[in-house]
């Protein structure tokens, strides 16, 4: 009899009414460790009713009180992040040090939310006309929905809920059903930090819960992160139902290496950014565009570094863990055959890698493909696994042309010591995040995170100033305190005097 993970509604675990459940695996052992409840639309309705009620009080809470909860949450997270890291490793599979890194990047947004008194200040113009002042306010939206992917079960929810809560909204989080426990852990920690019941709710589920969120008349906005086809669906369905939507999608990130780059730095970066978290990162580097002059040497340096990587159970001392499910592992592995059939050289084949872990784990070792044709599905598809591809290019111009021809525009990096080339790259590449000698250019929390093209549907990126704007509505107030001189009739359009 396995445990069943409940929803978290109104400050406590809740079984809801649906009898449907899903399996949660330990990917390093390949066994089911618990069940997670899969909500019905009635369960979503119940959570929204609770969140709507809580909004009445929370939206009126002082900024100081909201800020204090965020400070408390931050302190508790600092003390107890080890517990959360263990949960992440047990359900996602990423190694413990990587799980700790994920939490730290999420915590940055919590810290940004602690600065909300400053960020929420509106603008004021005094005496715009005689005795007239104009000022702007930022007010919360209401109940906001957040739907998140499996690959960052703590960080991606933290991209959204700290800012949503600190700006006075109440939240329904629908985390990935593949690794759902982190959401409940954070919900309990928020309660311990003093957040009133009903402000933060977790509804577990699949498409049924997602559709109920998208269509619910009392949900004001949806923040989504996941694959591009689902992101497009979320954006189209949510906006059709009158919601504000930000939907971050998939990616295929390139690293362009010019002949003057430091190849040891490049090789380290390519291995770290290609195989960290088993390549299951939306900002992973999946394609290295190697200029012909240095390509052979770079392939050799990457290959020798790959031979030192230790693959295994993330609770042991390993560099890389398993993939999230057996199906996903098999799908990623199938791209190695596809690439070979299409003419690529399989320089390192991860299907034969030794593993420090249980035989039934969802293992696939780091794989390196060279001479990958850009017509191959192994190039065009988002693989989302530990497969790094080398595409050889004649120089800067061909590299940028290839990057800009793709449908995605999340992150793109250039490695060079030529400042002029780097500056051209940052201007000419159609991507939302650019790295210059930085392979994974995830912006800090006081900037905003998001891609272009099929990597983001909607106008607002995640967190930072975009996050504050997304979770608030601006109101402009024009005020005059009357005295007798302001009387008299005038039906003309108001002008300033
Ligand atoms: P996914 O699209 O399968 O799932 C994301 C969320 O959508 C989950 O909560 C899931 O339950 C829900 N969902 C799945 N199928 C659905 C359907 N048919 N209808 C409605 N909802 C559905 O993504 P994933 O596999 O969990 O995560 C990996 C993907 O997320 C990759 O494509 C990755 O690039 C992307 N991602 C993007 C970013 C970014 O910032 N752009 C960050 C992290 C992950």
């Amino acid at each position: 009899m396995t445990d069943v993970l409940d929803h978290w509604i109104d400050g406590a675990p809740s079984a809801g009414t649906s009898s449907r459940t899903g399996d949660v695996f330990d990917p390093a052992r390949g066994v089911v460790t618990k069940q997670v409840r899969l909500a019905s639309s009635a369960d979503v309705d119940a959570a929204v009713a609770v969140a709507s009620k809580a909004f009445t009080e929370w939206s009126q809470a002082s900024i100081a009180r909201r800020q204090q909860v965020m400070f408390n949450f931050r302190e508790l997270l600092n003390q107890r992040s080890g517990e959360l890291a263990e949960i992440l490793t047990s359900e996602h599979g990423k190694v413990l040090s990587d799980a700790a890194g994920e939490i730290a990047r999420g915590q940055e947004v919590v810290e940004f939310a602690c600065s909300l008194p400053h960020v929420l200040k509106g603008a004021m113009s005094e005496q715009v006309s005689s005795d007239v002042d104009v000022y702007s306010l930022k007010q919360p939206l209401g109940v906001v929905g957040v739907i998140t992917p499996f690959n960052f079960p703590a960080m991606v929810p933290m991209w959204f809920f700290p800012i949503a809560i600190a700006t006075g909204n109440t939240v329904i989080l629908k985390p990935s059903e593949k690794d759902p426990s982190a959401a409940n852990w954070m919900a309990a920690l928020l309660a311990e930090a003093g957040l009133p019941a009903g402000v933060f709710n977790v509804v577990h589920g699949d498409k049924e819960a997602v559709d109920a969120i998208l269509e619910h008349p009392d949900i004001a906005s949806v923040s989504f992160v996941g694959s591009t086809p689902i992101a497009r669906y979320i954006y189209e369905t949510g906006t059709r139902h009158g919601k504000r939507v930000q939907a971050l999608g998939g990616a295929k990130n390139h690293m362009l290496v010019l002949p003057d780059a430091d190849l040891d730095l490049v090789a380290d970066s390519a291995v770290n950014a290609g195989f960290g978290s088993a390549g299951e990162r939306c900002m992973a580097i999946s394609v290295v565009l190697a200029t012909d002059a240095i390509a052979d040497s770079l392939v050799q340096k990457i290959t020798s570094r790959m031979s030192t990587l230790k693959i295994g159970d993330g609770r042991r001392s390993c560099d890389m863990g398993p993939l999230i499910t057996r199906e996903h592992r098999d799908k990623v592995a199938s791209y190695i055959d596809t690439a070979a059939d299409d003419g690529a050289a399989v320089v390192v084949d991860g299907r034969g890698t030794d593993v420090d872990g249980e035989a039934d784990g969802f293992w696939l070792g780091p794989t390196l493909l060279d001479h990958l044709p850009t017509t191959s599905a192994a190039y065009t598809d988002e693989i989302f696994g530990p497969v790094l591809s080398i595409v050889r290019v004649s120089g800067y111009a061909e590299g940028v042309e290839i990057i800009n021809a793709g449908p995605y525009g999340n992150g793109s990096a250039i490695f060079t010591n030529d400042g002029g080339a780097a500056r051209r790259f940052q201007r000419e590449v159609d991507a939302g995040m650019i790295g210059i000698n930085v392979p994974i250019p995830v912006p800090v929390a006081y900037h905003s995170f998001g891609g272009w093209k099929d990597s983001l549907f909607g106008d607002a990126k995640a967190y930072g100033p975009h996050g504050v704007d997304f979770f608030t509505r601006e109101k402009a107030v024009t005020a005059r305190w009357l005295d007798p001189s302001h009387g008299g009739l005038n039906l003309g359009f108001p002008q300033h005097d």
Side-chain angles (χ1 to χ4, degrees), residues 31-281:
V31 296
V32 174
T33 53
K34 65 175 72 157
Q35 300 287 307
V36 58
R37 295 198 188 280
L38 301 177
S40 62
S41 61
D43 294 331
V44 172
D45 287 349
V48 175
V50 162
S52 298
K53 189 159 167 272
F55 179 74
T56 309
E57 191 210 316
W58 184 244
S59 58
Q60 297 301 323
S62 69
I63 288 182
R65 181 166 168 227
R66 289 187 251 143
Q67 182 193 31
Q68 194 57 53
V69 171
M70 282 299 130
F71 271 121
N72 294 347
F73 182 70
R74 189 245 179 212
E75 289 308 295
L76 289 169
L77 199 54
N78 258 347
Q79 291 159 21
R80 309 237 311 259
S81 60
E83 285 171 35
L84 182 56
E86 278 174 26
I87 292 171
L88 299 181
T89 297
S90 69
E91 292 185 0
H92 175 283
K94 61 180 70 181
V95 300
L96 274 172
S97 57
D98 191 34
E102 159 176 0
I103 296 165
R105 291 309 301 262
Q107 184 167 320
E108 282 182 16
V109 184
V110 178
E111 287 161 3
F112 175 69
C114 292
S115 74
L116 260 285
H118 172 68
V119 178
L120 270 183
K121 284 185 301 196
M124 162 96 183
S125 299
E126 189 188 31
Q127 198 71 355
V128 297
S129 182
S130 301
D131 296 330
V132 175
D133 303 326
V134 175
Y135 48 96
S136 56
L137 316 171
K138 287 181 188 292
Q139 297 189 332
L141 304 180
V143 181
V144 301
V146 177
I147 302 165
T148 53
F150 80 82
N151 65 321
F152 286 109
M155 180 185 78
V156 169
M158 281 195 270
W159 281 357
F160 303 105
F161 75 71
I163 297 176
I165 291 172
T167 51
N169 299 281
T170 57
V171 178
I172 308 287
L173 170 65
K174 205 301 287 173
S176 171
E177 63 276 41
K178 296 188 179 114
D179 42 19
S181 299
N184 288 46
W185 189 91
M186 293 189 289
L189 207 71
L190 281 165
E192 203 176 324
L195 190 69
V199 175
F200 181 75
N201 306 279
V202 179
V203 174
H204 294 291
D206 52 11
K207 182 169 166 49
E208 183 172 346
V210 171
D211 285 343
I213 289 170
L214 292 174
E215 292 167 14
H216 202 292
D218 296 336
I219 291 187
S221 73
V222 174
S223 303
F224 172 87
V225 180
S227 57
T228 287
I230 309 294
R232 186 180 281 116
Y233 169 76
I234 299 283
Y235 184 75
E236 290 174 354
T237 313
T239 51
R240 201 167 57 245
H241 285 85
K243 297 183 199 325
R244 189 179 281 200
V245 180
Q246 54 181 170
L248 286 76
K252 189 91 189 180
N253 305 313
H254 295 73
M255 171 198 258
L256 173 59
V257 185
L258 298 190
D260 67 343
D262 176 334
L263 291 192
D264 287 304
L265 173 68
V266 172
D268 287 345
S269 298
V271 169
N272 295 341
F275 305 120
S277 200
E280 292 173 330
R281 288 179 182 150

